[in-house]
């Protein structure tokens, strides 16, 4: 009897926030793996803002997901069968396994993960792609120095929470922008940020001035839009603005709001640079070792919001945009 995979298929290109009508749930027989391929039972699927871009038929750093295709996503799972000599049945792996219960994929591009070192879902967050993004974005693109003040937006999310903690571990000051008092308390009390700004209720500019008296050396931007525009006015000399993402703009199809205050870059002799974490793939082991060491030494805290069931994909994904979650958002395969 062939196995069956439950798959979430993209059937419409969403306009605005994706809804369940943009996806269909289908059952498909799992093919026999060809040479070099693995069959993997997915256990946890990563819900990432980038997936919104992958639903759009536009030029980007990867091709869009085609209509009728399984929605692309990172995931961790257990190998059921392997025709790649680097993997064996029973191994745990992470990689682009898609929003489905069972994947048949090439072994190339997958990484082995160890459930004895950390819970498997951690390989999607504190030890996974978001943490690598924070690590390389802050240390390489942001060129962090120990006496810097780092301001990060989306600070209570998967990437932002790591940016603030890595900044602190490297001796810098960390100030986070997040939505609502609970998230702000979490940043200061649990993650060790020096200060937090509630962008939904505070006067953001006044609060940046108050919490960053020597101005901002690194602005790590996950959000774009108005927060980016305000942050640009508060840069220190030779500041680095790291363009990691712009989640406030991802559902705006017609017009993306750009920063009118960009001349602040000239005044501050600052630079603004975008990056994609995949550019650092050859150095993932280096980041994994450092993040793993910090985690085992109790130097990193993390939260996850885990929702169960592939049927809940669209509603769960929307939480990235409403902010109705804390830390890394994960879909557990039921
Ligand atoms: N460049 C790369 O290679 C790379 C890799 C990974 C991720 N990213 C980017 O990094 C960013 C963060 O990703 P993540 O996985 O860590 O997501 P996340 O921060 O865990 O989740 C998204 C958060 O964004 C905030 N948000 C949503 N809409 C907002 C708005 N209009 N204004 C301000 N904040 C808003 C919400 O928090 P609040 O409740 O605080 O509003 C929400 O919890 C995204 O832009 C993503 O595309 C880039």
């Amino acid at each position: 009897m062939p196995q069956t995979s439950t798959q979430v298929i993209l059937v419409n290109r969403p306009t605005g926030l994706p809804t369940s009508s943009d996806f269909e749930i289908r059952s498909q027989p799992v093919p026999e793996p060809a040479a070099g391929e693995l069959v993997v039972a997915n256990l946890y699927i990563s819900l990432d803002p980038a997936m919104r871009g992958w639903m759009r038929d536009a030029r980007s750093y990867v091709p869009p997901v085609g209509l009728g295709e399984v929605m692309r996503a990172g995931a961790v799972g257990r190998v059921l069968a392997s025709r790649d000599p680097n993997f064996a049945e029973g191994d745990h792996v992470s990689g682009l396994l898609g929003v489905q219960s069972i994947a048949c994929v090439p072994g190339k591009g997958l990484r082995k993960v160890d459930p004895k070192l950390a819970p498997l879902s951690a390989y999607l967050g504190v030890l996974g792609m978001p943490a690598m993004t924070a690590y390389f974005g802050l240390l390489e693109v942001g060129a962090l120095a120990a006496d810097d003040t780092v301001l990060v937006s989306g600070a209570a999310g998967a990437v932002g929470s790591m940016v603030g903690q890595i900044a602190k571990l490297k001796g810098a000051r960390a100030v986070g922008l997040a939505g609502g008092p609970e998230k702000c308390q979490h940043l200061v009390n649990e993650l060790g940020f020096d200060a937090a700004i509630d962008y939904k209720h505070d006067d953001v500019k006044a609060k940046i001035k108050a919490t960053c008296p020597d101005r901002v050396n690194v602005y790590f931007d996950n959000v774009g839009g108005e927060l980016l525009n305000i942050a640009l006015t508060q840069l220190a000399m030779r500041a680095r603005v790291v363009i990691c993402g712009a989640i406030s703009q991802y559902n705006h199809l017609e017009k993306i709001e750009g920063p009118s205050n960009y001349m602040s870059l000239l005044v501050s002799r600052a630079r603004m640079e975008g990056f994609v974490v995949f550019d650092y793939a050859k150095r993932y082991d280096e980041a994994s070792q450092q993040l793993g060491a910090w985690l085992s030494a109790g130097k990193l805290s993390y939260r996850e919001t885990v929702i169960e069931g592939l049927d809940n994909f669209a509603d769960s994904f929307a939480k990235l945009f409403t902010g109705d979650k804390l830390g890394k958002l994960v879909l557990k395969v039921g």
Side-chain angles (χ1 to χ4, degrees):
M1 265 289 277
Q3 287 166 310
T4 302
S5 177
T6 305
Q7 303 180 322
V8 174
I9 308 288
L10 181 69
V11 293
N12 285 314
R13 302 236 172 257
T15 51
L17 191 64
T19 66
S20 53
S21 64
D22 297 317
F23 305 95
E24 267 178 29
I25 312 265
R26 288 187 198 156
S27 287
Q28 285 288 322
V30 178
E32 284 296 317
E37 288 187 336
L38 315 180
V39 176
V40 180
N42 280 344
L43 300 168
Y44 295 96
I45 293 170
S46 184
L47 299 180
D48 293 297
M51 293 161 72
R52 180 64 186 89
W54 301 342
M55 296 172 196
R56 181 171 299 144
D57 191 9
R59 180 178 172 270
S60 187
Y61 57 94
V62 287
V65 176
L67 292 180
E69 289 179 4
V70 176
M71 186 59 218
R72 185 188 297 137
V76 285
R78 189 168 38 81
V79 177
L80 299 177
S82 172
R83 291 198 59 205
D84 179 326
N86 296 311
F87 299 94
E89 186 185 333
D91 282 349
H92 288 90
V93 293
S94 73
L96 287 173
L97 295 162
V99 188
Q100 56 188 335
S101 60
I102 303 180
C104 180
V105 289
K108 196 163 176 276
L110 298 183
R111 291 165 60 82
K112 272 191 214 175
V113 297
D114 187 349
K116 293 195 210 84
L117 292 182
L120 283 169
S121 55
Y123 291 97
L124 301 178
V126 66
L127 294 177
M129 184 277 289
M132 309 270 177
T133 304
Y135 183 90
F136 292 111
L138 182 63
L139 302 182
E140 298 293 325
V141 187
L144 182 75
D147 56 354
D148 280 346
T149 293
V150 176
L151 177 68
V152 54
S153 57
V159 175
S161 60
M162 296 299 295
V163 169
Q165 292 186 85
I166 294 170
K168 291 300 296 175
L169 283 164
K170 293 284 183 181
R173 290 189 74 241
V175 176
L177 289 152
E182 290 82 12
K183 287 189 178 184
C184 286
Q185 279 159 22
H186 166 71
L187 294 184
V188 175
N189 298 339
E190 282 186 44
L191 302 185
F193 281 59
D194 294 285
I197 300 170
D198 175 357
Y199 75 90
K200 289 185 176 165
H201 301 102
D202 289 338
D203 175 338
V204 172
K205 190 168 182 174
K207 267 284 189 123
I208 298 177
K209 280 178 191 273
T211 55
C212 306
D214 297 326
R215 302 179 77 88
V216 174
N217 304 101
V218 179
Y219 177 52
F220 192 107
D221 191 27
N222 288 313
V223 160
E226 189 51 20
L227 291 183
L228 169 60
N229 213 26
I230 295 172
L232 283 175
T233 67
Q234 300 305 310
L235 299 178
M237 286 296 280
R238 306 267 169 216
R240 287 80 67 201
V241 178
V242 180
I243 301 297
C244 177
I247 195 166
S248 72
Q249 306 298 306
Y250 291 173
N251 290 313
H252 298 188
L253 291 187
E254 298 300 323
K255 191 167 178 283
I256 293 220
E257 190 185 323
S260 57
N261 291 331
Y262 77 96
M263 284 300 283
S264 296
L265 296 170
L266 180 151
V267 175
S268 309
R269 283 74 156 179
R271 74 176 158 81
M272 181 153 89
E273 184 176 342
F275 78 106
V276 176
V277 66
F278 303 147
D279 300 343
Y280 293 93
K282 289 200 174 115
R283 292 178 58 195
Y284 284 173
D285 285 346
E286 167 200 325
S288 288
Q289 276 169 19
Q290 177 62 87
L291 293 160
W294 280 332
L295 188 65
S296 351
K299 292 180 175 171
L300 288 175
S301 294
Y302 69 99
R303 292 284 197 101
E304 293 171 342
T305 301
V306 181
I307 296 159
E308 188 157 341
L310 291 172
D311 290 355
N312 292 319
F313 167 72
D315 290 346
S316 313
F317 184 70
K319 292 180 186 295
L320 289 169
F321 299 91
T322 60
D324 179 21
K325 58 96 186 154
L326 185 60
K328 174 67 199 156
L329 185 62
V330 173
L331 192 63
K332 185 173 191 286
V333 178

